[in-house]
Amino acid sequence: MNNLDAVFVDVDDFCQTFLPVWENTSFLSVSNKETSLFASQLTK
């Protein structure tokens, strides 16, 4: 595995853990529409 693959895997693992927790927090006032757009931008 080259370095770019390793970085992608690390970022993907982080997003899989962080995004569900972030979407469930109430201290950030972000709409579901904005959150889903952010998540879709990360996957492109």
Side-chain angles (χ1 to χ4, degrees):
M1 182 175 356
N2 65 33
N3 288 339
L4 185 58
D5 290 337
V7 169
F8 177 79
V9 169
D10 289 342
V11 170
D12 187 55
D13 290 345
F14 172 78
C15 290
Q16 293 298 320
T17 304
F18 176 75
L19 287 177
V21 174
W22 182 53
E23 289 172 350
N24 290 329
T25 59
S26 61
F27 65 90
L28 295 173
S29 60
V30 177
S31 72
N32 287 337
K33 181 179 178 185
E34 289 173 321
T35 303
S36 65
L37 287 174
F38 180 71
S40 68
Q41 290 172 344
L42 289 176
T43 60
K44 289 186 178 181

